[in-house]
Amino acid sequence: MASKFQSWWQGVRYRGGGPMITWMLHRIGGLAMVVFVGMHVFASFLTQQFGSGLGTTLNLIYQSPYFQAPLYFFVIFHALNGLRIILLDTFPKLLEYQRELIWLQWIVFIPIYGLAVFFILAQIVSGE
Amino acid sequence: MRNRTVPQPSMSFEYIMWMFTRISGLALLFLGAVSLVIALAMGARQLLDMPTLARWTFFPNPNHVVNSKIPDVTQGWANAYWQIMQIVIAFFGISHGFNGLRVIIEDYIGNTIWQPMLRGLLFLVWLFFLIMAVFVILAS
């Protein structure tokens, strides 16, 4: 049992380095999006067909800026990281520069996510 | 946790799904860009605020733009073209997501008896969500 826990811990433990951060964020963000989109589709189905209040309740949660900020982080990160993975799979010679590509990915990510955060903060400030 | 290697090009299930993940990911980005550009061409700068435009970009459903300055969403924002777009996006999105879920689950359980069982269960849940999404799209 101890060894099973250890191997689980080896998989989850943070061992440093940009590649592992991107790998973990890609997984966590992907799972978060499956849950979010799945619940959203299910809630709209219930609202549309049975007039259930569940969809309205969920929409209120989804509209809140504290839910949107991490969601936009995951969506934008997942998209950019996926593009980097496709690029590396198509041109395997670039694997030599994968750490530099991860830095480039963060440089592209920060202004795009910054723009999303700006609009979310504007929503909080204006109190809508 | 087991190691996962890049599947070799052959007509195996893993290779087809590996390829599908990349194609559907690119297709979702492309379809989002198409929805965004057409919305801007239909006057989204005057009609929609930023969160509404983002919602429309992710999924061009008329319910996503109903609280906006659009006088009548049935004029251009809700028609058969957008229904086809939504069905294609829903198919790619749900399949991409459930395949990712399968990959993550199979990374952690390995080749046990649970693998085919969970694969079958995920297939049914995938089918359920696909049918439900198409139902919502055609009824909205």
Side-chain angles (χ1 to χ4, degrees):
Chain A
M1 235 9 229
S3 72
K4 206 164 193 178
F5 175 76
Q6 266 175 3
S7 72
W8 172 80
W9 180 241
Q10 289 295 316
V12 178
R13 189 167 68 100
Y14 176 61
R15 270 173 301 214
M20 182 155 173
I21 296 178
T22 59
W23 176 80
M24 284 191 106
L25 286 176
H26 199 79
R27 291 217 148 176
I28 295 167
L31 284 174
M33 274 188 277
V34 167
V35 172
F36 163 74
V37 175
M39 271 164 55
H40 189 56
V41 172
F42 191 55
S44 40
F45 177 74
L46 290 181
T47 311
Q48 204 178 54
Q49 298 306 320
F50 305 108
S52 148
L54 184 65
T56 323
T57 315
L58 277 175
N59 280 346
L60 282 179
I61 297 170
Y62 292 161
Q63 278 170 9
S64 93
Y66 310 103
F67 185 89
Q68 284 189 2
L71 183 73
Y72 270 90
F73 181 93
F74 286 140
V75 170
I76 297 168
F77 184 86
H78 200 91
L80 285 175
N81 199 50
L83 281 177
R84 183 181 62 86
I85 291 170
I86 294 172
L87 191 72
L88 286 173
D89 282 344
T90 319
F91 306 104
K93 279 184 179 169
L94 284 175
L95 275 169
E96 204 182 322
Y97 306 104
Q98 76 148 327
R99 275 166 199 279
E100 285 81 359
L101 275 171
I102 288 169
W103 282 113
L104 181 69
Q105 186 192 327
W106 283 110
I107 291 168
V108 175
F109 172 81
I110 286 165
I112 299 177
Y113 183 56
L115 197 68
V117 165
F118 171 78
F119 280 106
I120 292 165
L121 282 178
Q123 195 190 343
I124 297 178
V125 171
S126 69
E128 278 173 17
Chain B
M1 196 79 200
R2 73 188 163 96
N3 290 330
R4 184 174 275 271
T5 51
V6 175
Q8 293 307 303
S10 65
M11 275 305 132
S12 67
F13 177 68
E14 285 296 334
Y15 179 68
I16 292 167
M17 290 325 287
W18 181 86
M19 209 61 183
F20 176 79
T21 306
R22 274 134 190 89
I23 290 169
S24 58
L26 284 175
L28 284 168
L29 285 172
F30 175 73
L31 292 167
V34 169
S35 307
L36 178 64
V37 168
I38 297 180
L40 288 169
M42 291 196 301
R45 279 190 67 187
Q46 274 79 41
L47 297 171
L48 306 181
D49 58 355
M50 198 63 188
T52 315
L53 183 61
R55 253 179 288 151
W56 175 267
T57 304
F58 288 135
F59 199 64
N61 188 296
N63 285 335
H64 281 172
V65 290
V66 85
N67 296 322
S68 67
K69 290 182 199 143
I70 298 173
D72 181 12
V73 286
T74 54
Q75 301 295 319
W77 299 82
N79 52 34
Y81 171 74
W82 291 119
Q83 283 188 334
I84 293 168
M85 278 286 275
Q86 287 174 71
I87 290 171
V88 173
I89 292 172
F91 171 75
F92 278 134
I94 292 171
S95 307
H96 187 106
F98 273 94
N99 181 54
L101 205 55
R102 180 189 67 83
V103 169
I104 293 175
I105 287 172
E106 291 181 6
D107 263 359
Y108 288 93
I109 59 170
N111 281 320
T112 54
I113 185 68
W114 289 102
Q115 198 235 38
M117 283 162 75
L118 283 172
R119 217 179 243 196
L121 181 69
L122 263 181
F123 176 77
L124 291 178
V125 178
W126 168 73
L127 214 59
F128 173 71
F129 270 92
L130 218 54
I131 293 166
M132 196 163 65
V134 172
F135 199 92
V136 169
I137 290 163
L138 293 181
S140 64

